[in-house]
Amino acid sequence: MAFPKKKLQGLVAATITPMTENGFKKDWHQLFLNASVTCSQIKQKTCDCMNRQDLLPVTEEINFSVIGQYVDYLVKEQGVKNIFGEGLSLSVSERRQVAEEWVTKGKDKLDQVIIHVGALSLKESQELAQHAAEIGADGIAVIAPFFLKPWTKDILINFLKEVAAAAPALPFYYYHIPALTGVKIRAEELLDGILDKIPTFQGLKFSDTDLLDFGQCVDQNRQQQFAFLFGVDEQLLSALVMGATGAVGSTYNYLGKKTNQMLEAFEQKDFSLALNYQFCIQRFINFVVKLGFGVSQTKAIMTLVSGIPMGPPRLPLQKASREFTDSAEAKLKSLDFLSFTDLKDGNLEAGS
């Protein structure tokens, strides 16, 4: 199946969801009080109340107002023009709203917006896939279900096939991350004959350190023109040698410029320079990993570097400590990733 969009390649930022500090402004009790609904009226009008939009709890945990600024920052400051949105900590309704905002704000600025539609429920994944098609996304990606797991290739393919079929006009990407899903089916095995089952399949986000598996994905599918997107940021150079066509990662939110310099050096066959860039990136990642590194810390670093308030993570994750933020700031400066004037003052709340 042919798609009009160019092949997904280069750097793709795995974006994080900006949150507010406020949480829910209203709860059910307050909503009913504000609507002057008494207990007896609630009993009599339960169905009617549940269908009234003005009585539904409106989440103010997501900071939609900064997504446009986020788009401009990625394009102008980091040289990243593709994003790979994900939100497994969000409700389906929130995921739909976030997807709409990225597609709207990214129009004519981002090359491609790929919406992650993976979920534990097939029906939820299908709903999100259909919605992605309706709002004009450029593709969808799916992670393997990770509670009730598919233990064989055929079972996983059947799940992915049903999700892809819900958006038959969109390119479909598989998100391979066995360390988090616990699904150990090799990507090489999964790709064997995949177009016969999923004709919209266009590529793979490979977030694993098994370069044998990754290399065989590339080697055995050279005729297919798939996008092979590597997802272990600190090992990207090795994957480029193996044939990666691009990369998806969270560090490209704030290290995109430096990583693009590595890509340019590699394309120009200046492998010594490319290796120096990779080592420099590794020094920072190695440093923060030792401190404890995840979504919370990524949000803190993004707030620090971009000046865009990313807010706290959602439970069960906890905020990054101020100690972490201060240490990360010092390391970024020591590696010349960041000058003193690059830091955005007044936006360090994420590290509180």
Side-chain angles (χ1 to χ4, degrees):
M1 178 178 292
F3 294 101
K5 280 281 186 180
K6 66 180 182 181
K7 183 177 178 180
L8 184 59
Q9 57 187 358
L11 290 190
V12 184
T15 55
I16 52 181
T17 303
M19 308 293 280
T20 70
E21 299 284 345
N22 299 325
F24 282 86
K25 286 293 188 182
K26 300 178 180 178
D27 61 22
W28 282 105
H29 177 65
Q30 292 170 314
L31 284 161
F32 280 124
L33 285 179
N34 292 343
S36 299
V37 179
T38 66
C39 291
S40 61
Q41 288 173 315
I42 291 173
K43 291 178 181 178
Q44 295 171 7
K45 298 184 178 181
T46 300
C47 293
D48 179 57
C49 290
M50 297 307 169
N51 288 324
R52 283 180 55 187
Q53 191 64 35
D54 60 319
L55 294 184
L56 292 177
V58 178
T59 178
E60 294 186 4
E61 291 188 10
I62 298 176
N63 191 357
F64 294 103
S65 67
V66 302
I67 290 181
Q69 184 183 356
Y70 196 165
V71 170
D72 291 339
Y73 164 79
L74 288 176
V75 173
K76 296 175 183 178
E77 300 295 330
Q78 297 299 334
V80 175
K81 293 189 176 182
N82 300 288
I83 67 150
F84 193 109
E86 180 177 0
L88 288 173
S89 292
L90 307 181
S91 69
V92 170
S93 175
E94 288 172 329
R95 293 175 72 176
R96 289 166 61 102
Q97 293 176 70
V98 170
E100 290 169 11
E101 194 70 12
W102 275 105
V103 170
T104 300
K105 292 299 192 294
K107 186 175 176 59
D108 299 324
K109 294 181 179 180
L110 297 171
D111 289 341
Q112 297 198 43
V113 177
I114 310 300
I115 305 298
H116 178 251
V117 302
L120 298 184
S121 162
L122 173 60
K123 294 302 180 184
E124 288 184 0
S125 284
Q126 289 174 319
E127 176 187 339
L128 290 166
Q130 290 170 350
H131 177 256
E134 291 167 0
I135 64 176
D138 300 299
I140 56 173
V142 175
I143 196 171
F146 50 86
F147 184 69
L148 299 176
K149 299 178 178 66
W151 291 112
T152 69
K153 167 190 171 179
D154 290 341
I155 296 172
L156 178 55
I157 285 285
N158 286 339
F159 178 88
L160 301 177
K161 177 181 177 181
E162 293 297 319
V163 179
L170 288 186
F172 180 88
Y173 300 89
Y174 174 58
Y175 182 177
H176 178 69
I177 184 166
L180 291 184
T181 63
V183 176
K184 305 296 185 180
I185 300 165
R186 289 171 61 82
E188 170 209 348
E189 180 185 356
L190 187 75
L191 264 56
D192 184 19
I194 196 169
L195 285 176
D196 295 333
K197 300 290 186 179
I198 307 174
T200 56
F201 182 82
Q202 288 290 291
L204 172 76
K205 177 188 176 183
F206 189 96
S207 293
D208 191 23
T209 57
D210 186 349
L211 286 175
L212 172 60
D213 189 16
F214 181 75
Q216 287 305 291
C217 287
V218 177
D219 184 38
Q220 296 183 25
N221 293 278
R222 295 188 184 189
Q223 305 303 315
Q224 303 296 346
Q225 296 300 305
F226 291 152
F228 293 105
L229 307 167
F230 199 65
V232 184
D233 305 4
E234 62 272 24
Q235 296 182 359
L236 175 56
L237 184 58
S238 298
L240 292 174
V241 174
M242 302 296 289
T245 60
V248 182
S250 61
T251 68
Y252 309 141
N253 284 285
Y254 51 88
L255 296 182
K257 182 177 180 180
K258 186 67 67 175
T259 308
N260 270 320
Q261 291 173 331
M262 183 182 78
L263 294 180
E264 291 170 7
F266 181 81
E267 290 172 1
Q268 295 169 5
K269 302 188 185 308
D270 189 341
F271 301 127
S272 178
L273 180 59
L275 185 60
N276 285 337
Y277 281 128
Q278 181 71 95
F279 282 154
C280 191
I281 291 166
Q282 283 187 344
R283 289 184 198 117
F284 178 74
I285 294 176
N286 188 51
F287 178 79
V288 293
V289 165
K290 290 178 179 178
L291 296 178
F293 186 62
V295 172
S296 305
Q297 290 72 28
T298 297
K299 285 193 162 197
I301 295 171
M302 264 295 286
T303 299
L304 172 73
V305 175
S306 70
I308 303 170
M310 289 295 158
R314 180 164 281 178
L315 291 171
L317 299 179
Q318 301 294 310
K319 284 185 180 181
S321 67
R322 184 55 184 259
E323 180 183 5
F324 171 88
T325 307
D326 290 345
S327 297
E329 175 185 343
K331 191 66 174 180
L332 285 167
K333 289 177 180 176
S334 73
L335 293 170
D336 291 328
F337 285 169
L338 202 62
S339 67
F340 287 90
T341 56
D342 286 333
L343 292 175
K344 314 299 180 180
D345 293 333
N347 287 296
L348 300 182
E349 290 83 358
S352 61

